[in-house]
C-alpha cells in the first residue's frame, strides 16, 4: 500500500510539473503576471486539485478573478 501511495504521489507531481511547463509555454501576449505568496501546503493542495480537474493553476485563478470582478460589479450597481 505504501508503495502505491508513493507511486501515485510521484506520478501526480510529474503531471503537475508537465502542466507547469505547458502553462509557461502559453502565449504571454496581452497577459500580465501576478505574484502571490501562499503557504507551500496550500499551493500543493491547489495544484493537486487543478491536476485532478485537468486545469492549470493560472486558468483557475484567472477564472476566479473574472468571477470576483463580475460579482462585485453587479453588487456595486444595486
Amino acid at each position: 500500500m505504501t508503495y502505491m501511495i508513493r507511486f501515485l504521489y510521484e506520478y501526480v507531481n510529474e503531471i503537475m510539473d508537465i502542466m507547469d511547463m505547458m502553462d509557461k509555454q502559453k502565449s504571454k501576449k496581452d497577459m500580465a503576471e501576478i505574484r502571490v505568496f501562499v503557504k507551500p501546503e496550500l499551493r500543493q493542495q491547489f495544484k493537486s486539485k487543478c491536476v485532478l480537474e485537468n486545469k492549470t493553476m493560472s486558468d483557475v485563478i484567472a477564472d476566479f478573478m473574472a468571477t470576483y470582478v463580475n460579482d462585485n460589479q453587479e453588487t456595486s450597481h444595486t
Side-chain angles (χ1 to χ4, degrees):
M1 185 68 157
T2 304
Y3 171 77
M4 184 61 123
I5 291 171
R6 184 179 302 148
F7 171 79
L8 289 173
Y9 178 79
E10 290 173 6
Y11 181 73
V12 168
N13 278 331
E14 187 174 330
I15 291 172
M16 290 186 297
D17 289 341
I18 291 168
M19 289 183 74
D20 276 347
M21 288 187 327
M22 290 171 45
D23 191 35
K24 289 175 184 173
Q25 292 174 354
K26 285 185 179 178
S27 172
K28 294 183 180 181
K29 184 178 179 185
D30 300 323
M31 301 296 266
E33 182 177 350
I34 296 175
R35 291 188 65 164
V36 179
F37 295 93
V38 297
K39 292 184 178 183
E41 300 83 22
L42 177 60
R43 180 187 182 276
Q44 187 62 43
Q45 290 170 338
F46 178 67
K47 190 173 184 178
S48 295
K49 184 170 172 83
C50 289
V51 167
L52 291 173
E53 295 177 356
N54 198 28
K55 299 177 181 178
T56 66
M57 293 190 298
S58 291
D59 289 342
V60 173
I61 291 171
D63 288 345
F64 166 77
M65 291 173 66
T67 300
Y68 183 77
V69 168
N70 290 332
D71 287 350
N72 284 336
Q73 287 177 348
E74 293 171 10
T75 304
S76 64
H77 286 36
T78 53

